[in-house]
Amino acid sequence: MSIQSILSKFILCRKAKSQCDCIELKLEDLYIKMNRITDKGIPHEVTVVVPRAEIREKYDENQRLIEKEVILNSITIVHAPRHPLAGPPAPPPEIPAKLVKSK
């Protein structure tokens, strides 16, 4: 992403009084890009999760690439509104005392 495109998006968000999010993820041949402009009145949360990304390369004695293995697993990008808390958590349920058999 160029500096000019970043600045133009920043200026656009300022004028619109919006919230801007931009994600660019590059892993080998995988390219994911997400741009969102949302209302500031509803805060949003952006999460990027990359739990596993492995790139293995094998070279011969002449430093020529002979094998390449790319493992990408469960890559997730989430853009979600934050919701207000519903209130204090409910109290834990009461657990009845154990019944003891008498002889």
Side-chain angles (χ1 to χ4, degrees):
M1 179 179 280
S2 70
I3 293 175
Q4 182 179 6
S5 66
I6 292 170
L7 288 175
S8 65
K9 287 177 186 169
F10 179 74
I11 291 168
L12 177 65
C13 282
R14 285 289 190 204
K15 286 181 181 176
K17 296 183 180 175
S18 300
Q19 175 179 327
C20 296
D21 297 304
C22 177
I23 300 294
E24 271 193 73
L25 178 64
K26 295 178 189 176
L27 293 168
E28 284 299 304
D29 293 333
L30 174 70
Y31 177 72
I32 300 173
K33 182 176 180 178
M34 181 191 78
N35 290 311
R36 296 285 305 228
I37 299 174
T38 57
D39 183 5
K40 276 189 177 178
I42 304 170
H44 281 69
E45 182 176 292
V46 175
T47 306
V48 178
V49 181
V50 182
R52 182 177 178 205
E54 296 180 37
I55 301 166
R56 296 187 190 113
E57 297 177 338
K58 289 185 183 179
Y59 294 87
D60 65 10
E61 61 277 351
N62 296 319
Q63 298 302 312
R64 288 182 294 198
L65 182 65
I66 57 172
E67 185 179 329
K68 185 171 188 174
E69 180 181 19
V70 178
I71 300 171
L72 304 174
N73 187 14
S74 298
I75 295 170
T76 306
I77 296 179
V78 177
H79 187 271
R82 290 188 209 152
H83 297 285
L85 295 175
E94 283 192 39
I95 300 173
K98 241 184 180 179
L99 295 175
V100 179
K101 288 185 180 180
S102 57
K103 291 184 181 185

